[in-house]
Amino acid sequence: MNQSELKIYKAWDLPTRLFHWINFSAVICLIFFGLLMLFKKELGITSMEAKISLKTIHVIIGYVFVVNLAFRILWGFLGNRYARWRAILPGRGFMQSLRDYRTSMRSGNTQQFVGHNPLGRLAVCCLLLLMLVMAFTGLIRAATDIYYPPFGSLVAGYVAAPGVDPDSLIPYDPAGLEPSRAEQLKTFKEPFGEIHLYTAYALMLLIVLHIVAVVVTDLREGGSIISAMFTGRKVLSGKPVDDDS
Ligand code: HEM
């Protein structure tokens, strides 16, 4: 690469970078506590208090994850042009840009982008979709397992036996529950747990692919896409496709 052709571009604004690193940290912690819950028996975690504590920690980190994700959805309408949904969601002309990108890769003169390249856009969309499913199913399980907000009091109110204060219900304790409604709740929450678990597996796989793809792209295309998520700036040679400055 001719060093004299290198130019610095402002890619990721500060809120986008903050979202990315908060999201990364939250997801790693959620996976860690999720796996602890999943393999609790194998790890010798048997007491009900320990199980509920693990779940509670997971849910509290989950709130950070959900609020951060909600912020990113909003920022897609307010952020700089590379943070906007228009630059991320596949819209009109996307398939052509994907073909152009593939052709340029094959020719050995890969197109440069200040924002995401078309494959990166697809990856980000899949990651966001899976994370939305995790957030939704996680909030449902938080309510149906341990009566936590935002839907917990609604659930507790439904399963509490007549005359029992819903706030007095203790997770996994049948005392104070209306038996037929408790049974209904069990049937209702099961599929959300299954979806939460299998989506977590898919997300873990995609995160690994995402990291491999970013490292490979960084090595192939001149080495600034990883540092750009820290500094906000990309150093590119030639004219990026998505820059009209
Ligand atoms: C990327 C985000 C997340 C990942 C990777 C993740 C991962 C996991 C995993 C692996 C489990 C164990 C599943 C099992 O034991 O069957 C789990 C369970 C759980 N998660 Fe998450 N989770 C995420 C987000 C959330 C969020 C946002 C919440 C709620 C605020 C949440 C609430 C729960 C609850 C309540 C359980 C227990 C469900 C059960 O016992 O079946 N999770 N999660």
Side-chain angles (χ1 to χ4, degrees):
M1 188 186 299
N2 184 349
Q3 297 292 311
S4 62
E5 287 174 11
L6 291 179
K7 206 173 148 190
I8 295 173
Y9 296 86
K10 211 174 162 327
W12 311 122
D13 52 23
L14 182 64
T16 303
R17 282 178 278 149
L18 280 177
F19 158 78
H20 181 271
W21 293 115
I22 293 171
N23 187 57
F24 177 79
S25 313
V27 169
I28 295 297
C29 294
L30 286 166
I31 290 174
F32 176 74
F33 282 99
L35 292 178
L36 281 187
M37 284 191 278
L38 197 57
F39 295 107
K40 54 186 179 293
K41 250 192 232 134
E42 291 79 353
L43 294 165
I45 303 169
T46 49
S47 81
M48 189 50 82
E49 289 77 34
K51 282 185 205 170
I52 295 176
S53 300
L54 278 181
K55 222 165 256 199
T56 308
I57 297 171
H58 183 83
V59 167
I60 290 168
I61 302 167
Y63 290 145
V64 175
F65 165 80
V66 170
V67 169
N68 193 48
L69 192 59
F71 164 77
R72 181 63 184 91
I73 291 169
L74 188 70
W75 198 245
F77 298 101
L78 305 172
N80 77 3
R81 63 173 284 193
Y82 304 109
R84 292 211 173 208
W85 292 120
R86 205 165 350 115
I88 296 171
L89 297 178
R92 204 147 34 95
F94 177 74
M95 291 313 291
Q96 187 56 46
S97 68
L98 201 57
R99 280 192 288 270
D100 292 345
Y101 185 62
R102 197 184 53 184
T103 310
S104 77
M105 278 171 95
R106 285 186 179 156
S107 75
N109 186 18
T110 309
Q111 287 179 333
Q112 307 261 295
F113 289 83
V114 181
H116 294 294
N117 67 43
L119 281 180
R121 283 170 69 178
L122 278 184
V124 169
C125 289
C126 292
L127 284 166
L128 285 171
L129 195 68
L130 292 183
M131 289 194 298
L132 281 173
V133 174
M134 292 310 291
F136 178 68
T137 52
L139 289 175
I140 299 285
R141 285 300 302 223
T144 53
D145 273 17
I146 53 173
Y147 310 122
Y148 260 54
F151 310 116
S153 47
L154 199 74
V155 171
Y158 183 75
V159 289
V164 172
D165 176 6
D167 290 340
S168 70
L169 297 182
I170 298 169
Y172 296 99
D173 184 346
L177 297 183
E178 209 282 300
S180 67
R181 291 193 165 195
E183 204 49 47
Q184 278 176 17
L185 178 63
K186 219 174 136 206
T187 316
F188 169 79
K189 73 180 187 178
E190 243 166 33
F192 290 99
E194 299 267 302
I195 297 171
H196 196 73
L197 179 60
Y198 288 108
T199 309
Y201 288 144
L203 187 61
M204 287 181 223
L205 181 71
L206 207 60
I207 290 170
V208 172
L209 290 177
H210 172 64
I211 294 173
V212 170
V214 164
V215 171
V216 169
T217 310
D218 209 60
L219 293 174
R220 282 170 56 127
E221 296 180 15
S224 75
I225 68 169
I226 296 174
S227 60
M229 218 14 116
F230 292 98
T231 63
R233 292 184 295 276
K234 274 193 187 176
V235 184
L236 301 172
S237 62
K239 177 117 181 89
V241 178
D242 56 347
D243 172 62
D244 40 33
S245 61

